[in-house]
């Protein structure tokens, strides 16, 4: 009988290996968490969150209280309390999700507060104050002395050249922190690696970074960026120096003059424009309108009173319609209509009948033949009226 048939050796579980899967976590997060004065429940919640996010190469994840309870052994009410406390300390960020709250680690550890607040100067360097440390290794099942603890003195190996799990970093630590703040705020999160390279080329110091973020804030309030289609990719925006773009946030004096002329002539009739509420598209429309009238710089001053007195406006007419190319064209076709002070049509209008049109033409000294169509005569009469009004 073989010895193996007599002695039943217990199977030893296989030791875990990196090849079976690993979680990439920035050194700064681990070091900041080790300095934070958190409770056991806090750390349990954080370990699960790190495993469910960074363990799957995700920044955030929807994790239910039931999942936390299963993975930590902590009851759901206590899990909920621990999460709320971590959020209050700004260690965890929470946003609405589809099935549960979406949670993520706040990597900007200088923002942590309360018991989680850490001395930032101790992160990313405090281990180097003691170049030689005691590393305790539990041999486990890898040696013949299962469970024996070996203590050795070794040099800190956090920067070994043979580490293969960390790709080449585009950014230094300080730039990384600033980039993550920028990335969190930028509304179009596309091509992050390319954005990192563009950010690294700029190398923004504190002053430039503040200017950059202020410019981003202005751009996000612009009308153009309200449509995601027109938001540039972050790398393109950084390369082009988008934070230096002049974003108009109020009407110019020239634009206000046009608005006030409209309000005075037609505001009561079809609704005044609130000059305190800036609309970027409206400002552009005003500039296009006045450019169209550049042959007569003062034409816009006569335009709105003429519309009030002579034009039967459609129900949808308003300021934006009247200064648009279509509205301006429509108004020109209606311009000869006289109105009473109350806005109603005046009686006995010359264009109402063929005889009236011809009589008006004679009155204005416009020659015409009996064969000329009446509408053509009317058009020439209207053109003559408009010309006389401008003179």
């Amino acid at each position: 009988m073989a010895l193996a048939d007599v002695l039943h050796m217990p199977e030893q579980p296989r030791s875990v290996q990196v090849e079976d899967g690993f979680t990439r976590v920035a050194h700064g997060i681990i070091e900041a968490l080790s300095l934070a004065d958190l409770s056991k429940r806090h750390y349990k919640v954080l370990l699960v969150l790190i495993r469910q996010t960074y363990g799957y190469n995700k920044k955030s994840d929807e994790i239910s209280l039931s999942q936390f309870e299963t993975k930590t052994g902590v009851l759901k009410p206590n899990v909920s309390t621990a999460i709320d406390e971590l959020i209050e300390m700004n260690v965890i960020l929470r946003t609405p999700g589809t099935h549960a709250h979406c949670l993520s680690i706040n990597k900007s550890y200088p923002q942590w507060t309360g018991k989680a607040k850490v001395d930032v100067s101790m992160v990313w360097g405090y281990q180097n104050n003691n170049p030689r440390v005691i590393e305790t290794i539990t041999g486990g099942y890898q040696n013949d002395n299962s469970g024996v603890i070996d203590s050795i003195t070794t040099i800190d190996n956090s920067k070994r050249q043979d580490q293969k799990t960390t790709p080449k970093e585009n950014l230094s630590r300080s730039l990384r922190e600033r980039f993550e703040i920028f990335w969190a705020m930028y509304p179009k999160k596309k091509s992050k690696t390319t954005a990192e390279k563009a950010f690294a080329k700029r190398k923004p110091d504190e002053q430039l970074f503040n200017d950059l973020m202020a410019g981003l804030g202005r751009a996000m309030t612009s009308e153009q960026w309200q449509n995601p289609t027109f938001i540039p990719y972050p790398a393109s925006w950084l390369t082009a120096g988008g934070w230096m773009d002049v974003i108009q946030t109020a009407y110019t004096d020239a634009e206000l003059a046009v608005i006030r002329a409209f309000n005075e002539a037609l505001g009561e009739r079809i609704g005044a424009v609130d000059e305190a509420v800036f609309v970027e598209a409206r400002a552009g429309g005003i500039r296009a309108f006045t450019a169209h009238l550049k042959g007569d710089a003062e034409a816009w001053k006569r335009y709105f009173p003429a519309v009030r007195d002579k034009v039967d406006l459609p129900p949808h007419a308003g300021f934006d319609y009247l200064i648009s190319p279509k509205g301006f064209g429509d108004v020109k076709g209606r311009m000869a209509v006289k109105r009473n002070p109350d806005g109603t049509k005046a009686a006995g209008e010359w264009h109402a009948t063929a005889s009236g049109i011809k009589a008006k033409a004679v009155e204005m000294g416009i020659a015409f033949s009996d064969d000329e169509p009446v509408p053509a005569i009317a058009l020439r009469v209207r053109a003559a009226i408009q010309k006389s009004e401008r003179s």
Side-chain angles (χ1 to χ4, degrees):
M1 181 178 292
L3 182 61
D5 295 330
V6 178
L7 300 175
H8 297 283
M9 303 296 292
E11 285 191 16
Q12 297 180 343
R14 179 174 176 272
S15 61
V16 293
Q17 303 294 329
V18 172
E19 290 76 10
D20 298 328
F22 60 92
T23 300
R24 287 181 55 199
V25 185
H27 292 170
I29 293 178
I30 295 176
E31 293 165 9
L33 287 175
S34 67
L35 287 169
D37 185 20
L38 300 176
S39 70
K40 178 180 178 181
R41 287 175 182 167
H42 292 149
Y43 282 113
K44 282 193 170 190
V45 167
L46 287 168
L47 284 172
V48 171
L49 178 56
I50 289 172
R51 174 66 181 89
Q52 294 300 106
T53 52
Y54 299 147
Y56 293 98
N57 292 321
K58 296 189 295 184
K59 295 180 181 178
S60 61
D61 191 30
E62 295 180 16
I63 312 175
S64 66
L65 295 178
S66 299
Q67 286 179 286
F68 275 112
E69 183 178 42
T70 300
K71 294 177 182 294
T72 64
V74 179
L75 296 177
K76 285 190 285 187
N78 295 330
V79 169
S80 179
T81 299
I83 291 174
D84 289 340
E85 290 171 349
L86 288 167
I87 291 171
E88 186 176 351
M89 290 184 283
N90 213 23
V91 178
I92 287 181
L93 304 176
R94 177 168 61 191
T95 56
T98 304
H99 305 291
H101 286 302
C102 197
L103 303 176
S104 62
I105 300 290
N106 180 11
K107 295 188 292 184
S108 297
Y109 51 81
Q111 299 175 0
W112 297 359
T113 61
K115 290 189 174 182
K117 186 174 180 63
V118 299
D119 181 356
V120 178
S121 65
M122 297 292 289
V123 181
W124 288 90
Y126 76 94
Q127 71 273 33
N128 295 328
N129 295 332
N130 299 302
R132 301 185 65 83
V133 297
I134 301 298
E135 185 180 74
T136 301
I137 303 175
T138 301
Y141 298 105
Q142 290 123 310
N143 53 42
D144 295 333
N145 298 316
S146 175
V148 175
I149 296 178
D150 297 328
S151 294
I152 61 174
T153 301
T154 182
I155 296 175
D156 174 34
N157 61 5
S158 63
K159 296 183 180 179
R160 289 186 316 190
Q161 296 300 312
D162 60 347
Q163 288 182 327
K164 303 294 185 181
T165 58
T166 303
K168 183 179 179 181
E169 179 61 75
N170 292 319
L171 304 170
S172 65
R173 176 172 60 88
S174 60
L175 285 181
R176 164 63 59 189
E177 292 175 0
R178 289 171 184 161
F179 175 78
E180 291 301 337
I181 295 172
F182 163 79
W183 184 257
M185 184 173 175
Y186 202 88
K188 179 176 280 189
K189 291 174 173 53
K190 299 287 186 180
S191 303
K192 185 174 183 180
T193 301
T194 308
E196 287 180 355
K197 292 177 180 178
F199 196 88
K201 286 183 179 180
R202 289 291 181 182
K203 296 181 180 178
D205 57 17
E206 185 175 356
Q207 180 60 53
L208 178 56
F209 180 68
N210 291 337
D211 293 343
L212 188 151
M213 295 304 292
L216 177 58
R218 290 192 299 272
M220 291 175 65
T221 62
S222 69
E223 186 169 342
Q224 178 182 337
W225 279 35
Q226 302 314 304
N227 184 339
T229 305
F230 299 119
I231 300 176
Y233 275 47
S236 301
W237 189 82
L238 287 167
T239 302
W243 66 92
M244 294 182 283
D245 291 349
V246 177
I247 306 294
Q248 185 177 356
T249 57
Y251 295 114
T252 64
D253 291 342
E255 291 160 0
L256 284 173
V258 175
I259 291 174
R260 288 165 184 168
F262 166 82
N263 286 344
E264 183 178 347
L266 292 163
E268 225 177 288
R269 179 175 161 193
I270 60 177
V273 175
D274 187 350
E275 60 186 63
V277 178
F278 176 75
V279 180
E280 188 176 356
R282 178 171 290 156
I286 295 172
R287 292 192 295 272
F289 173 65
T290 53
H292 180 71
L293 301 173
K294 61 183 178 181
D296 184 354
E298 301 294 309
W300 59 269
K301 293 183 179 180
R302 301 189 300 271
Y303 176 65
F304 298 117
V307 171
R308 175 194 63 202
D309 298 335
K310 303 176 182 180
V311 178
D312 228 358
L313 292 172
H316 64 276
F319 176 76
D320 297 318
Y321 166 78
L322 290 176
I323 65 172
S324 69
K326 183 181 185 311
F328 185 73
D330 290 346
V331 165
K332 286 181 68 176
R334 302 166 182 250
M335 188 62 79
V337 180
K338 291 280 187 181
R339 303 195 68 85
N340 295 318
D342 62 356
T344 59
K345 283 184 181 180
E349 294 165 340
W350 62 268
H351 68 283
T353 62
S355 60
I357 291 172
K358 292 179 179 180
K360 189 68 174 177
V362 171
E363 177 186 335
M364 299 192 69
I366 299 171
F368 60 90
S369 66
D370 292 335
D371 297 330
E372 185 175 358
V374 173
I377 300 173
L379 283 176
R380 292 200 288 133
V381 171
R382 289 192 178 97
I385 292 173
Q386 292 175 10
K387 183 177 180 181
S388 65
E389 289 175 343
R390 288 196 294 267
S391 60

